[in-house]
Amino acid sequence: MLIFSRYIFLTQNLADMKPIVYLLCMMMLCAVVAKAQTKTSEPARQKTTTPAKQPPQRNKFNYDQSLKKANNSVNGVNNSVNNTSAAGTNAVNTAANAKTQVKTLADQVNALVGKSKAAEGTANTTQITIKGANFAKLKQLTEAIQRCPGVQDAKMKFGSGESMITVTHTGTTTKLLEAIQKKSDLVTDNSIDNVDEGAIAIHL
């Protein structure tokens, strides 16, 4: 009887403690689940590796600006070289033109000097036309011309209205006329009608 009464008392107490037991069971279950989740997440954290540091990337804008400056520098050097080359070419052309002009002038001077020397050193021919001269005066003038320096030959041709003396001589016609005036009184400045290289016209 005593045992039965204790059983009844224990059964009633257990019925009153049922909510508490249920609550304890739920708490234990939550603790077990949390512990399981902790164990599951720990290997994941162990396997996680820190990513390697990436080298700092250059600013693309700064790189483009540097490249642009370098290109500008190269272009500046090329322009300087081209300008220097052009200046050198112009200087060479100017020197060449000056040399050509000097040579041309020298050739012209040499040609003039050569003509003068040729006129003085080579035999020239001058035709002397005489108006109003009789045969005696023509002969007298021809003999005077033959005595002039530089005269190699003098041939006369008489005519009633106009006579002619062909003179072979060195030097110019002007110098020949000056020599004739010194050798003969028949030829004066007033008797000279025309003087040209290779031709003299006088009247007596």
Side-chain angles (χ1 to χ4, degrees):
M1 188 69 177
L2 180 60
I3 296 173
F4 180 73
S5 61
R6 288 183 177 179
Y7 174 77
I8 293 174
F9 175 77
L10 182 60
T11 301
Q12 290 178 354
N13 289 337
L14 290 173
D16 294 336
M17 295 177 63
K18 185 176 180 180
I20 296 174
V21 173
Y22 178 76
L23 181 59
L24 291 174
C25 290
M26 292 297 295
M27 291 176 65
M28 291 177 64
L29 180 61
C30 289
V32 171
V33 172
K35 187 175 182 180
Q37 290 180 351
T38 302
K39 290 182 179 181
T40 304
S41 60
E42 285 180 355
R45 284 199 302 267
Q46 293 176 358
K47 292 182 179 180
T48 302
T49 56
T50 303
K53 290 184 179 181
Q54 298 293 332
Q57 296 182 354
R58 291 185 178 179
N59 192 328
K60 182 177 181 182
F61 176 77
N62 293 335
Y63 176 78
D64 292 340
Q65 290 294 326
S66 299
L67 182 60
K68 185 176 180 180
K69 289 181 180 179
N71 289 332
N72 291 336
S73 299
V74 173
N75 292 333
V77 172
N78 289 334
N79 291 334
S80 299
V81 172
N82 292 334
N83 292 335
T84 303
S85 178
T89 302
N90 292 334
V92 171
N93 292 335
T94 302
N97 292 334
K99 182 179 179 181
T100 301
Q101 292 176 358
V102 170
K103 185 178 183 300
T104 302
L105 181 60
D107 291 342
Q108 292 176 354
V109 172
N110 290 332
L112 293 176
V113 173
K115 286 183 178 179
S116 178
K117 290 183 177 180
E120 293 178 356
T122 60
N124 299 316
T125 301
T126 298
Q127 298 287 344
I128 303 176
T129 304
I130 306 103
K131 292 181 180 181
N134 55 31
F135 184 79
K137 288 184 178 180
L138 180 62
K139 184 178 179 182
Q140 182 182 352
L141 180 59
T142 302
E143 291 175 352
I145 293 173
Q146 289 176 344
R147 294 194 301 269
C148 291
V151 174
Q152 298 176 358
D153 190 19
K155 295 180 180 180
M156 70 176 189
K157 183 179 180 181
F158 177 73
S160 57
E162 182 178 276
S163 300
M164 182 179 296
I165 301 175
T166 302
V167 183
T168 302
H169 62 94
T170 59
T172 63
T173 298
T174 301
K175 288 186 176 182
L176 173 63
L177 179 59
E178 292 174 355
I180 292 173
Q181 286 180 306
K182 291 179 180 180
K183 293 294 182 179
S184 175
D185 295 335
L186 295 175
V187 181
T188 63
D189 290 343
N190 293 329
S191 65
I192 298 173
D193 296 328
N194 184 40
V195 178
D196 196 3
E197 188 64 34
I200 300 174
I202 61 176
H203 65 274
L204 300 179

